[in-house]
Amino acid sequence: IYLVTQKNYFVDEPENEDLYEIGCVVRIKQVLRVSDDLTKVLVEGLYRAKHQSFLKLRDCYGAEVTEIADKPILNREVYVETLLRKVKAEFIKYLVSGPSVTPDVPVIVESSNDLGFVCDTIASGINTPFDDKQYVLEQNSVTSRAKILIELLKKETEINEIDKKINAKTRSAIDENQKEYYLREQIKAINAELYGDSEADEIDSYYTKIESLSADASVKEKLKSHVLKLSKMPQGSHEGTVERGY
């Protein structure tokens, strides 16, 4: 069968202009009916193809397609080998950066020395926007495909690294807030035991008021440090009165 990607997922009845010009002729390997309205189909790509026309048959569409063969590689063998190693190296960096791929993809890539096949396998297996994958698919020069894929892998690796840094900072901020909340609750419970609920409520109300202030974070932190100081002081102490006045 001939498979071609829609430019927009949300078009239910795509016309010719809603499809990319280049797709793949594939062989169906497995059909899995997941539910009444969902079927998964596993296919094996045979070759790139460009459609000239579509026709509506009784049960499906037909297409007139032309095979797009790869251009002969005219570069020196050492140059092709260098590109192959570079593609594999960038793919490893991509994998290390975190995203998951189908388990057999790294094995296939590592065991093959066919530059075009390696590029096609990686491009189909990585988590990247479909229009980027389409751009790789449309290259019938193997060396151009490899160079484009190298840059694509670099971009996706950088995105993954930035995403990890953002997640780490977010977790750190959440952990710090949770720690602060836990300590406040501990102090509140201790004060309630020592001096009664009124003291604990007073401390809690200070924190609530500070959070509602329209002030810089540095100002709020300064105020919170004084509330924390107050919470540790015995009820009725002179130092406590000074802190309350502050």
Side-chain angles (χ1 to χ4, degrees):
I1 62 173
Y2 174 65
L3 297 182
V4 63
T5 307
Q6 289 182 217
K7 296 175 182 177
N8 186 340
Y9 284 139
F10 302 104
V11 177
D12 291 330
E13 298 291 338
E15 300 294 334
N16 194 26
E17 61 271 15
D18 298 314
L19 306 173
Y20 287 104
E21 291 184 354
I22 294 175
C24 283
V25 172
V26 304
R27 178 186 293 117
I28 296 175
K29 303 283 286 184
Q30 185 182 38
V31 178
L32 178 64
R33 186 172 295 279
V34 180
S35 63
D36 291 339
D37 57 353
L38 178 62
T39 301
K40 289 187 176 182
V41 182
L42 178 66
V43 300
E44 176 187 17
L46 300 178
Y47 56 84
R48 290 170 170 76
K50 181 176 182 179
H51 57 264
Q52 277 73 47
S53 61
F54 290 101
L55 58 152
K56 185 73 166 68
L57 304 178
R58 193 175 75 172
D59 298 323
C60 63
Y61 282 100
E64 181 183 352
V65 302
T66 302
E67 180 178 352
I68 300 177
D70 285 339
K71 292 179 180 178
I73 300 177
L74 303 177
N75 306 83
R76 290 191 303 154
E77 189 174 331
V78 66
Y79 178 75
V80 177
E81 176 66 23
T82 302
L83 277 179
L84 178 64
R85 291 185 184 185
K86 184 65 175 173
V87 168
K88 289 185 177 184
E90 291 300 331
F91 182 54
I92 291 172
K93 290 179 185 177
Y94 170 82
L95 293 176
V96 171
S97 69
S100 59
V101 297
T102 306
D104 59 337
V105 172
V107 177
I108 294 171
V109 169
E110 184 58 34
S111 61
S112 176
N113 291 318
D114 183 330
L115 180 59
F117 176 73
V118 167
C119 290
D120 291 340
T121 303
I122 292 174
S124 66
I126 61 177
N127 182 24
T128 191
F130 71 88
D131 50 345
D132 284 343
K133 293 188 178 188
Q134 178 68 30
Y135 187 55
V136 175
L137 177 70
E138 292 175 356
Q139 309 305 313
N140 64 339
S141 165
V142 174
T143 53
S144 294
R145 197 183 311 155
K147 286 185 278 189
I148 290 169
L149 183 61
I150 288 169
E151 293 305 313
L152 180 59
L153 285 168
K154 286 181 178 179
K155 183 191 79 170
E156 292 299 324
T157 300
E158 184 177 0
I159 289 172
N160 292 333
E161 293 294 344
I162 293 172
D163 187 54
K164 284 200 294 187
K165 288 179 181 178
I166 292 172
N167 288 338
K169 288 181 179 179
T170 303
R171 281 197 302 270
S172 177
I174 291 173
D175 291 344
E176 191 61 36
N177 288 337
Q178 287 177 335
K179 179 182 176 183
E180 182 181 335
Y181 174 77
Y182 177 69
L183 291 173
R184 279 170 53 185
E185 289 300 308
Q186 275 192 318
I187 292 170
K188 182 178 176 181
I190 292 169
N191 285 335
E193 285 294 322
L194 293 175
Y195 313 117
D197 290 336
S198 59
E199 177 76 9
D201 291 340
E202 178 192 23
I203 298 301
D204 201 45
S205 69
Y206 279 135
Y207 279 118
T208 303
K209 288 176 181 178
I210 290 170
E211 288 298 331
S212 64
L213 282 177
S214 177
D216 292 339
S218 59
V219 174
K220 291 184 178 182
E221 287 304 314
K222 182 70 173 175
L223 290 171
K224 285 179 182 179
S225 70
H226 280 274
V227 175
L228 183 61
K229 195 173 174 183
L230 174 63
S231 67
K232 297 176 181 178
M233 293 178 179
Q235 190 178 35
S237 67
H238 174 69
E239 293 85 354
T241 303
V242 173
E243 283 300 326
R244 285 185 180 84
Y246 178 84

